[in-house]
Amino acid sequence: MAGFEAESERVVRLLRDEIIDGVRVPGSRLVERDVAAELGVSRVPVRDALRVLVAEGLVVARPRTWAVVREFSASDVSDLHEVRAAIEPLVFRLAAQRRTRDGLVRLKAAVDAESAAARAGDAVAARRAAADFHEVVTDLAANELLNELQRPLRSRMRWLLGQHDDLVAVARQHEGLYAAIADRDVARVERLVAEHLDAGRGMAEERAR
């Protein structure tokens, strides 16, 4: 049973990453038997994985044995930005107030990985590290209820955080936020978060055009 669960989780992770990274494009079909053959697994873990990804908002179920990668509409993206704008100022403020030495080490590792990937032009690695940066900040906020509220949105937020092409600019913004959190400079964090949110919305809109 434990092995079955691990296999299901592996299929979820692989499909989730491929969707967020843009390998599986919006609107593309996910047919159980085809995905199972591609990944070398039975149809059962694929079926379970698709259910998880539907719940996470990355996949839309279709009749019988197939689904499609979600196509986020302009309204969907606007909704995500509104939620992000409501939550992130609190998350970053708490992180600046509560950060620990170990937490800063993890945050520095994420921003260093993002910066290195951005300079190398590795878009997938840079966007993944950028999303990791935000998740570590959430951990540093040390508010379990906030973590619980964000958990169902995590995959969609990782997708949203990848909707930019200026990898170096985003990495520099994260470097500035890291420094402000490390300094426990709440006022600076709040200013930089507001700028980061505005820039993120602008980049996403530009990419969508």
Side-chain angles (χ1 to χ4, degrees):
M1 186 66 177
F4 169 76
E5 289 295 324
E7 186 172 72
S8 296
E9 290 170 8
R10 183 177 71 86
V11 174
V12 169
R13 176 175 51 79
L14 290 171
L15 292 178
R16 182 192 293 122
D17 286 348
E18 289 180 347
I19 292 169
I20 292 173
D21 294 342
V23 176
R24 295 185 188 269
V25 299
S28 60
R29 290 177 60 165
L30 296 165
V31 181
E32 280 182 18
R33 65 175 180 274
D34 295 343
V35 175
E38 180 185 337
L39 299 180
V41 298
S42 71
R43 290 171 64 168
V44 173
V46 174
R47 187 177 307 134
D48 291 343
L50 292 178
R51 288 196 191 102
V52 171
L53 294 171
V54 167
E56 291 183 1
L58 295 180
V59 166
V60 178
R62 289 288 185 261
R64 299 185 185 276
T65 59
W66 62 284
V68 296
V69 176
R70 180 174 181 171
E71 297 184 72
F72 286 91
S73 67
S75 177
D76 292 331
V77 174
S78 179
D79 288 349
L80 286 169
H81 279 297
E82 288 174 356
V83 171
R84 185 185 173 199
I87 292 175
E88 284 205 354
L90 172 61
V91 171
F92 275 85
R93 183 171 69 252
L94 291 176
Q97 294 168 339
R98 300 174 177 177
R99 95 291 187 279
T100 62
R101 183 172 298 178
D102 288 344
L104 285 178
V105 169
R106 292 169 53 219
L107 194 61
K108 185 68 161 59
V111 78
D112 284 351
E114 180 187 0
S115 297
R119 288 194 301 271
D122 187 340
V124 169
R127 291 175 184 139
R128 283 187 180 187
D132 290 344
F133 175 86
H134 281 264
E135 290 183 5
V136 175
V137 171
T138 300
D139 288 344
L140 296 188
N143 184 306
E144 186 51 41
L145 179 57
L146 198 51
N147 251 311
E148 185 180 328
L149 291 171
Q150 290 203 83
R151 206 165 287 131
L153 299 172
R154 185 165 293 162
S155 291
R156 277 171 283 182
M157 283 300 175
R158 286 188 76 90
W159 175 87
L160 181 68
L161 291 166
Q163 301 307 298
H164 68 274
D165 294 312
D166 197 338
L167 308 174
V168 172
V170 173
R172 285 176 177 161
Q173 290 167 25
H174 286 168
E175 288 169 356
L177 283 163
Y178 165 79
I181 290 170
D183 291 342
R184 281 203 171 99
D185 190 334
V186 174
R188 191 160 103 239
V189 165
E190 290 176 335
R191 175 176 58 80
L192 292 175
V193 168
E195 293 172 0
H196 186 48
L197 289 168
D198 286 344
R201 183 183 287 271
M203 288 179 183
E205 290 172 352
E206 184 177 336
R207 193 168 195 242
R209 283 198 288 268

